[in-house]
Amino acid sequence: MHEQPTHAATGAVAAPPPVGPVRLIINGTAHEVELAPWTTLLDALREYMQLTGTKKGCDHGQCGACTVLVNGKRINSCLTLAVMHEGDDITTIEGLGTVEALHPLQQAFVDHDAFQCGYCTPGQICSAQGLLNEGKAHTEDEIREMMSGNLCRCGAYVGILAAVKEVVDKGEKVK
């Protein structure tokens, strides 16, 4: 039999955590999920939507492994609450390409051997797509600066830079 937790001093029954429906548009599909208001977007994606491509690295916004696109702009999903993005267009790595048809950035990462362990790669690619959406980075120095929020613990930065630069140089508006 399941017992309700009680407060040790008073014996009062603890209230269940508040949850409510949150409507999230992820990779072009609307989802309604019951979430506590303090659930991060990262945890909503990974734990409730089973979209595990977005990685939990530091959980403090310092590594960029959790980068996703919200309305085309890159954000650290560990630093924002899911309820703040009701109705926003959220794109994860799963929404950028398929196994049969890789996104141009995904193909460039393969072509330039821009990953080793691959843990940071989804965040790197989402950040690079955000960089393309912003249209601000054209030189290698600008790309390095704009991608500096995404860390690669394996040190694959040479390949990452080459991959992003290739897609930037093609001048395509990729989505």
Side-chain angles (χ1 to χ4, degrees), residues 75-156:
I75 67 163
N76 290 331
S77 61
C78 72
L79 294 180
T80 188
L81 301 175
V83 297
M84 296 169 63
H85 298 288
E86 249 188 325
D88 286 343
D89 180 24
I90 301 164
T91 304
T92 68
I93 191 68
E94 291 91 348
L96 287 180
T98 65
V99 173
E100 299 81 23
L102 293 178
H103 182 279
L105 282 165
Q106 291 170 323
Q107 187 62 58
F109 268 62
V110 171
D111 294 345
H112 291 279
D113 199 24
F115 53 90
Q116 287 182 34
C117 80
Y119 196 83
C120 72
T121 305
Q124 296 276 1
I125 291 173
C126 284
S127 187
Q129 180 61 56
L131 176 146
L132 292 169
N133 294 347
E134 293 160 15
K136 295 178 184 172
H138 305 286
T139 68
E140 288 186 0
D141 285 341
E142 290 171 337
I143 293 169
R144 276 189 204 94
E145 178 65 28
M146 299 294 284
M147 294 287 294
S148 66
N150 292 82
L151 303 179
C152 175
R153 288 167 176 86
C154 298

Side-chain angles (χ1 to χ4, degrees), residues 19-86:
V19 296
V22 178
R23 186 173 178 270
L24 299 172
I25 303 168
I26 304 167
N27 301 326
T29 303
H31 302 272
E32 191 166 297
V33 61
E34 294 284 324
L35 297 174
W38 54 81
T39 304
T40 65
L41 180 56
L42 173 61
D43 287 339
L45 293 170
R46 290 185 57 80
E47 304 300 327
Y48 293 87
M49 307 307 301
Q50 285 68 53
L51 294 171
T52 57
T54 304
K55 303 300 185 212
K56 185 179 277 199
C58 66
D59 215 17
H60 295 288
Q62 297 174 347
C63 73
C66 68
T67 303
V68 298
L69 300 168
V70 175
N71 300 325
K73 296 181 187 222
R74 52 202 168 143
I75 67 163
N76 290 331
S77 61
C78 72
L79 294 180
T80 188
L81 301 175
V83 297
M84 296 169 63
H85 298 288
E86 249 188 325

